[in-house]
Amino acid sequence: MGDHKEQPLRVGAAVRRRRRALELTLAVVAERSGLSVPFLSQIENERARPSRSSLEKVADALRTTAVELLAAADPACSVDVVHAEGPEQDYEPRMRSLVRGHHQMHAQEFTGDHDAGREFQYRNDQLMYVADGGVDVEAEGRAYRLGRGDTLYLTGGVRHRWRATVADTRVVVVAVAEHIEAVQDRPRQ
């Protein structure tokens, strides 16, 4: 249960990602495929499932194949469990993904320290939650000290870096996925 392999595929997200990667409008894809804009929109929003023939027309319009679109499709599961790993014995810093697949949200768990000198900048909004331990975060020229249970919200585009201040720190980072157009580009100041 909750296994992605058991679930039907949602091809709409793959169609949208491919169309956006090519910087095409729905109107252009409609013209190339011979399908209507409303139907293509319904496909992308998972309100319609294309027939094999329609999927091939869409794939041709996107300069790919139906097989490639299906391979890039998201599983249509609404519930998925990612089980915790067994108890760690080596206490090495590590990162694990808490959400599988191409979804509108990404979540990762960091345990221990990581490259404290690395600067991050995500296109979309992000939330950092300290599950255990503590971290120091530098964002927009200010320093923030977070302890167990604290959260930090960062608007998309904010450059930041962080480091663990306590051994065996666990930090959960949840962000709107990069492939989602959640925020408009902001002018740099």
Side-chain angles (χ1 to χ4, degrees), residues 24-37:
L24 299 175
T25 64
L26 281 172
V28 170
V29 176
E31 183 180 319
R32 288 182 181 179
S33 67
L35 301 171
S36 71
V37 170

Side-chain angles (χ1 to χ4, degrees), residues 169-182:
T169 290
R170 283 190 318 124
V171 175
V172 175
V173 177
V174 179
V176 176
E178 289 292 309
H179 66 274
I180 303 296
E181 300 284 337

Side-chain angles (χ1 to χ4, degrees), residues 26-100:
L26 281 172
V28 170
V29 176
E31 183 180 319
R32 288 182 181 179
S33 67
L35 301 171
S36 71
V37 170
F39 180 62
L40 291 170
S41 177
Q42 288 177 343
I43 290 171
E44 285 192 0
N45 291 304
E46 304 299 340
R47 286 179 289 198
R49 290 191 59 169
S51 66
R52 179 73 178 176
S53 171
S54 293
L55 185 59
E56 288 173 357
K57 289 176 183 179
V58 171
D60 287 344
L62 296 173
R63 296 185 178 104
T64 188
T65 65
V67 171
E68 289 295 320
L69 286 175
L70 289 170
D74 291 340
C77 62
S78 58
V79 177
D80 187 40
V81 176
V82 178
H83 290 284
E85 299 168 358
E88 288 296 316
Q89 302 298 324
D90 57 9
Y91 300 106
E92 288 294 315
R94 69 182 192 285
M95 184 278 298
R96 73 180 181 112
S97 189
L98 302 175
V99 178
R100 294 183 278 210

Side-chain angles (χ1 to χ4, degrees), residues 160-173:
H160 63 283
R161 63 179 51 134
W162 63 275
R163 69 179 185 85
T165 58
V166 177
D168 300 328
T169 290
R170 283 190 318 124
V171 175
V172 175
V173 177

Side-chain angles (χ1 to χ4, degrees), residues 97-156:
S97 189
L98 302 175
V99 178
R100 294 183 278 210
H102 286 82
H103 296 288
Q104 295 181 13
M105 177 183 72
H106 285 290
Q108 298 172 320
E109 177 187 60
F110 296 87
T111 304
D113 211 347
H114 71 288
D115 182 2
R118 181 175 175 206
E119 185 174 73
F120 297 92
Q121 181 180 26
Y122 296 96
R123 189 172 91 193
N124 295 325
D125 296 353
Q126 171 187 358
L127 178 78
M128 178 182 285
Y129 170 74
V130 181
D132 287 309
V135 297
D136 283 342
V137 180
E138 181 185 320
E140 294 188 320
R142 294 186 61 195
Y144 303 89
R145 177 155 284 176
L146 305 176
R148 183 173 186 231
D150 291 342
T151 61
L152 177 77
Y153 173 81
L154 297 162
T155 300

